[in-house]
Amino acid sequence: MYPRVKKVKAEDKYQLRITFDNGKIKIFDMSRYLNFGVFSELKDIKYFQQVSPLYGSISWPHGQDVCPDTLYKESILTKQSN
């Protein structure tokens, strides 16, 4: 099992800065998901910015979420974590 989300912040260009419970800070790019079903609502930047941590993952008010393992595996480590 991969680390779980402790904190998340919406950044520019539909990126998420995620702090995991192992102390790593990584960037996850949501832009590639924006044309898929329920994620299309995230194109509204004000709505996108409403992301919050939920049960070790992330979620938006209307229930969009991403698997925490995907968030960890497909995100890029920031210089702050090195």
Side-chain angles (χ1 to χ4, degrees), residues 19-51:
T19 303
F20 291 90
D21 61 8
N22 67 352
K24 301 286 185 191
I25 300 170
K26 300 178 92 176
I27 300 294
F28 185 79
D29 185 0
M30 279 296 299
S31 65
R32 63 180 173 244
Y33 295 92
L34 298 178
N35 291 319
F36 295 102
V38 299
F39 293 119
S40 63
E41 188 175 15
L42 301 179
K43 290 178 185 178
D44 176 347
I45 196 67
K46 289 186 186 286
Y47 182 71
F48 180 76
Q49 292 171 343
Q50 294 180 45
V51 66

Side-chain angles (χ1 to χ4, degrees), residues 3-8 18-21 53 55-58 68 71:
R4 296 302 184 229
V5 175
K6 183 176 175 183
K7 186 172 146 184
V8 62
I18 303 171
T19 303
F20 291 90
D21 61 8
Y55 303 120
S57 189
I58 60 170
L71 292 172

